[in-house]
Amino acid sequence: MMRRKIYFDPILVEEVVFLEINRAEKSGNISLSKRFFSERERLYEQKRDAERGGDSFHSFYVRYFQELGFQSIFEKAIASFNILCGIELSVIVLRVWRDQDEGAELYGDDERKTVRISIRVTRFFDRESLSGFLDQELLHISDLLDPAFCYPENSFLGEASLGGLSDMENNVIRGRFRLLWNIYVEARLQKMGKKRLMTTEERRKEFETSFSHWSREEIDRVFARLISGSSFAFEDLVELARNARLAKPIGLGGLRCPLCHFPSYQGITNWEGSRHVVELIKRDFPSWESAEGACLQCYELYCVPFSHERRAMS
Ligand SMILES: [Zn+2]
């Protein structure tokens, strides 16, 4: 039996309980708040001459935290991911203030893993959204632990692995990677019958914006694959994020030469005055359309229509 332990930030526990009791009172659950405040008063009495705070106050809040069902939301979320159940695991739940600081991180060695979950107190006031948040974060963590996902050890999506030509490009690739991973995670959550934080339509919109340089067909194809539940490894997602422009022909806003398939920043897209070159290329690549463009090297190669070699071939 693998051991699992969840540690909650005492300040988070105290704040969540206090606010939840107040909410319960406002919505008419007077008996709960009466019991809570009178117990708390008794504790203060007992502690009047001793030091305030300490273990008894903490365990008082923990007891209410459990009674209000918050601990079991975390336990249930963790238990629904097989990979997390099969390891020695510590989960540390910390309070943060800003939504951009929320998330989950994985630490540890082969013996024992630690997941640190950073979360805002306001998450606790909508239990469905709390569960959705935990599922989303924990499936990301499961991916990191899943040998099939092949997450590179010690990778923090460093510059080297992204392959952009500048910091700016690397940031764009990183952003696209996160989006792809989120869509992939949400698709599997849906399959598991879990609630998702964003709808498919919302994600699709985000996807279209981030990959606006792709053709409609490419967007449809990749999005359909992402939400189909088929497996992706880390490198597949990085590749999609990284090659967004490389995958697209020069003439359609990308960098890939549709003839030699090499990336090129110098493409030919205007064929006026070079109709003969278009004809020659079409002979070798019948499905190629001039609108797709070609790299300068390929263009120059076909620009020599009367070379002996070509004449001999035709
Ligand atoms: Zn080329």
Side-chain angles (χ1 to χ4, degrees):
M1 173 79 182
M2 293 296 175
R3 276 172 304 151
R4 180 165 73 228
K5 180 89 185 122
I6 312 178
Y7 303 91
F8 292 94
D9 179 353
I11 294 170
L12 173 93
V13 169
E14 196 171 316
E15 207 169 315
V16 166
V17 168
F18 189 74
L19 292 171
E20 186 66 15
I21 294 288
N22 276 318
R23 269 162 47 97
E25 189 176 18
K26 279 201 186 98
S27 63
N29 192 349
I30 309 292
S31 62
L32 176 67
S33 65
K34 248 178 131 175
R35 174 156 60 86
F36 172 83
F37 285 112
S38 70
E39 270 185 53
R40 199 176 68 152
E41 195 50 44
R42 264 207 312 280
L43 261 179
Y44 273 123
E45 296 280 324
Q46 288 165 12
K47 286 270 177 180
R48 183 154 292 171
D49 301 318
E51 92 287 15
R52 282 263 159 94
D55 281 354
S56 53
F57 271 95
H58 180 59
S59 40
F60 165 73
Y61 280 104
V62 166
R63 189 152 47 76
Y64 272 92
F65 189 78
Q66 289 169 346
E67 185 183 324
L68 290 166
F70 290 121
Q71 174 137 2
S72 69
I73 291 177
F74 281 77
E75 275 163 3
K76 232 173 104 183
I78 296 166
S80 59
F81 298 99
N82 290 338
I83 287 186
L84 300 180
C85 296
I87 55 169
E88 298 277 330
L89 183 70
S90 299
V91 177
I92 299 172
V93 186
L94 296 174
R95 181 188 65 168
V96 290
W97 294 100
R98 305 180 307 169
D99 55 351
Q100 63 260 46
D101 296 329
E102 287 189 308
E105 286 159 291
L106 179 70
Y107 302 93
D109 48 33
D110 292 342
E111 296 290 305
R112 186 169 192 90
K113 301 286 184 195
T114 299
V115 174
R116 190 172 75 186
I117 299 175
S118 303
I119 191 166
R120 283 174 302 150
V121 167
T122 47
R123 285 270 180 207
F124 289 78
F125 304 140
D126 177 349
R127 291 172 189 233
E128 264 203 357
S129 136
L130 173 62
S131 296
F133 169 79
L134 291 176
D135 289 337
Q136 174 123 359
E137 294 303 325
L138 293 173
L139 186 47
H140 279 101
I141 296 292
S142 297
D143 278 348
L144 301 184
L145 291 165
D146 187 351
F149 191 67
C150 303
Y151 191 75
E153 226 165 291
N154 302 322
S155 169
F156 290 95
L157 285 179
E159 309 301 318
S161 64
L162 294 174
L165 299 173
S166 63
D167 284 352
M168 204 181 80
E169 205 176 322
N170 278 332
N171 282 338
V172 172
I173 295 170
R174 202 175 285 116
R176 281 200 217 109
F177 168 81
R178 293 216 172 98
L179 173 62
L180 292 167
W181 196 8
N182 280 337
I183 297 171
Y184 177 45
V185 158
E186 286 160 359
R188 285 173 293 156
L189 289 179
Q190 190 167 35
K191 269 199 151 178
M192 292 169 77
K194 286 175 172 282
K195 184 180 159 60
R196 305 158 29 156
L197 294 181
M198 282 177 89
T199 64
T200 307
E201 291 69 36
E202 286 167 330
R203 279 300 190 202
R204 166 80 194 208
K205 273 196 195 120
E206 219 183 311
F207 183 73
E208 282 176 15
T209 309
S210 291
F211 292 85
S212 58
H213 44 279
W214 280 6
S215 66
R216 172 70 31 190
E217 295 72 49
E218 214 155 4
I219 286 178
D220 288 345
R221 186 176 55 80
V222 175
F223 193 77
R225 238 197 97 203
L226 280 168
I227 62 169
S228 71
S230 39
S231 293
F232 286 86
F234 169 82
E235 197 52 45
D236 299 331
L237 298 178
V238 173
E239 194 63 22
L240 278 172
R242 188 193 286 148
N243 281 359
R245 281 193 75 205
L246 294 179
K248 203 172 171 161
I250 288 167
L252 303 177
L255 294 172
R256 182 177 59 84
C257 170
L259 307 178
C260 66
H261 298 290
F262 280 105
S264 171
Y265 285 88
Q266 280 185 299
I268 305 297
T269 50
N270 183 356
W271 301 95
E272 232 163 276
S274 335
R275 297 317 301 176
H276 61 290
V277 180
V278 171
E279 294 312 312
L280 281 175
I281 294 175
K282 269 189 170 295
R283 247 186 249 175
D284 289 346
F285 299 91
S287 64
W288 174 80
E289 294 295 333
S290 60
E292 293 176 76
C295 75
L296 193 60
Q297 284 77 8
C298 286
Y299 173 78
E300 283 174 348
L301 193 72
Y302 282 92
C303 258
V304 205
F306 303 111
S307 76
H308 298 301
E309 200 187 357
R310 284 212 173 276
R311 246 199 204 158
M313 279 165 65
S314 55

